[in-house]
Amino acid sequence: MKHFLDIKNTSKEDLIKLLNLAQTLKEEVKSGQQRDDLQGKTLGLLFQKPSTRTRVSFEIGMGQLGGRVITLQKDEVGLGKREPVKDVARVLSRYVDIIMIRTFDHTDIEEFSDFASIPVINGLTDFSHPCQAIADFLTILENFKSLDGIKIAYLGDGNNVCRSLVELAQKLGVEIVVSTPDGFELDYDGTYKQVKDPREAIKGADVVYTDTWISMGEEGKSIEIFTPYQVNSELMKLASTRAIFMHCLPAHRGEEVTDEVMESEASKIFDQAENRMHAQKAIIKTLLS
Ligand code: CP
Ligand code: NVA
């Protein structure tokens, strides 16, 4: 692994190794073990969009590995605006050992990785959110112990989170069904199972997943068409009796999900949020080893 830009261009073998390492690192932290593998190493975090989980989980995670972090916000760097992407890539490569980027256009992160001499991690683009998918599968594994026979139903917008989830499910041979309104399907290079009726999609699912209907940068989008795709208690009754509810957060209660489902026993949203940190520690460690 040179960079971590997408699930699709990461091998199945590497993905399994990441999940295993994330589990080990999580157990270590829980048992109070300290690490200093990355002492003297600096992780750069470059944000062109807001973040809570991504920023904090990367900063704390890098600290737990003994390294340090520099966080650069949108108004500071102006990626591609104040300075061309290829120049920022070569400048930051002289200072930091590894970098995470959250931005809009996926081609910016690809260009950045072409010019950078350090590993680049995708911390979300309009196209994909691969770190989230690793944390999500870590959460699914924790709940079901194995991925055998698991069915995931993703309801709502065919967006960046949906793409990485579908890609990881396909790499690992896990069944995933996506249900979106017309015009909001995942624009996917390949085939995946689509079911228009959300009631049919959720039937028997072990994992029910949704995300915001309005992603960052889509402010002002009309969302009426999404109403039948709201994950509520009535819909959850159609899922498997052991079903868990997942959401990458931030969530919009009363839109893609009800407060009742968010606060239910089935909801694993905060485990997911925590697992971002363990997943990303595995990604950083792997890229720097
Ligand atoms: N899930 C996620 O990426 O959260 P943030 O936008 O808060 O980083
Ligand atoms: N789809 C959402 C995910 C946020 C973590 C967005 O891009 O805003």
Side-chain angles (χ1 to χ4, degrees), residues 134-283:
I134 302 288
D136 295 341
F137 269 74
L138 187 58
T139 312
I140 295 170
L141 271 168
E142 277 173 359
N143 275 276
F144 298 106
K145 310 296 172 228
S146 147
L147 297 175
D148 290 348
I150 295 294
K151 175 187 169 183
I152 304 173
Y154 177 96
L155 270 58
D157 190 18
N159 62 15
N160 45 7
V161 168
C162 177
R163 176 185 313 281
S164 295
L165 197 68
V166 168
E167 286 181 357
L168 189 50
Q170 293 196 339
K171 282 265 180 169
L172 300 179
V174 173
E175 183 183 357
I176 184 161
V177 177
V178 178
S179 193
T180 62
D182 287 338
F184 294 93
E185 295 85 0
L186 178 64
D187 177 16
Y188 197 61
D189 185 17
T191 54
Y192 67 97
K193 193 168 176 195
Q194 289 186 67
V195 174
K196 273 289 146 221
D197 179 358
R199 299 177 70 84
E200 196 190 322
I202 207 172
K203 215 174 277 173
D206 303 296
V207 177
V208 178
Y209 201 120
T210 192
D211 182 21
T212 181
W213 295 337
I214 306 177
S215 284
M216 292 177 272
E218 294 184 336
E219 292 75 17
K221 176 182 180 184
S222 163
I223 54 172
E224 284 87 68
I225 196 173
F226 288 94
T227 307
Y229 298 84
Q230 181 191 68
V231 178
N232 52 40
S233 297
E234 193 207 331
L235 217 52
M236 282 300 285
K237 281 190 197 129
L238 302 173
S240 154
T241 49
R242 63 173 187 167
I244 60 170
F245 169 72
M246 297 181 71
H247 192 308
C248 61
L249 305 179
H252 305 81
R253 289 166 162 84
E255 292 184 10
E256 74 272 10
V257 61
T258 58
D259 183 62
E260 197 180 11
V261 170
M262 288 284 283
E263 301 296 335
S264 68
E265 275 284 299
S267 177
K268 301 297 169 196
I269 53 177
F270 301 115
D271 291 337
Q272 259 180 287
E274 178 186 333
N275 284 338
R276 288 291 303 280
M277 183 169 74
H278 307 298
Q280 289 153 195
K281 283 171 70 180
I283 295 165

Side-chain angles (χ1 to χ4, degrees), residues 50-55 102 129 132 216 248-250 276:
S51 167
T52 301
R53 280 144 289 271
T54 303
R55 176 178 179 183
R102 166 170 287 197
H129 198 0
Q132 183 69 52
M216 292 177 272
C248 61
L249 305 179
R276 288 291 303 280

